Amino acid sequence: MSQTLRNIHSARQGNTTSVVSFPAMLEQLKGEIARALPKHLSAERMARIALTAFRMNPKLSEVDPRSVVAAVIQSPD
């Protein structure tokens, strides 16, 4: 697992009382997303694409937002 994905996983681990929404988590982790992307794709663009896909698929709201953010970060690979 890459360091970025470990950071995402550990960022919310141990704090189960507050749930961060997917859009908020995308905003918080834009720096991590930017580091994983190729130079021609900005973190803002990738966040918009991910948010659009998230809103078009209601089933994604049933999973842990960390899983969806991890998938967004892994997608350019």
Side-chain angles (χ1 to χ4, degrees):
M1 184 183 318
S2 74
Q3 183 61 41
T4 301
L5 296 177
R6 279 191 291 274
N7 291 346
I8 290 170
H9 182 69
S10 65
R12 300 302 306 159
Q13 201 169 30
N15 186 1
T16 57
T17 57
S18 69
V19 176
V20 176
S21 69
F22 176 70
M25 190 172 281
L26 270 180
E27 190 61 38
Q28 289 175 348
L29 295 171
K30 271 190 184 172
E32 296 287 333
I33 293 169
R35 283 192 283 277
L37 294 174
K39 299 294 179 202
H40 70 275
L41 187 59
S42 71
E44 291 78 19
R45 175 80 175 129
M46 188 62 163
R48 283 193 308 269
I49 292 167
L51 193 53
T52 298
F54 181 80
R55 289 182 174 152
M56 291 178 66
N57 187 346
K59 285 285 196 182
L60 288 176
S61 65
E62 297 173 10
V63 300
D64 186 342
R66 292 176 293 187
S67 298
V68 182
V69 171
V72 168
I73 290 173
Q74 288 179 333
S75 65
D77 288 341

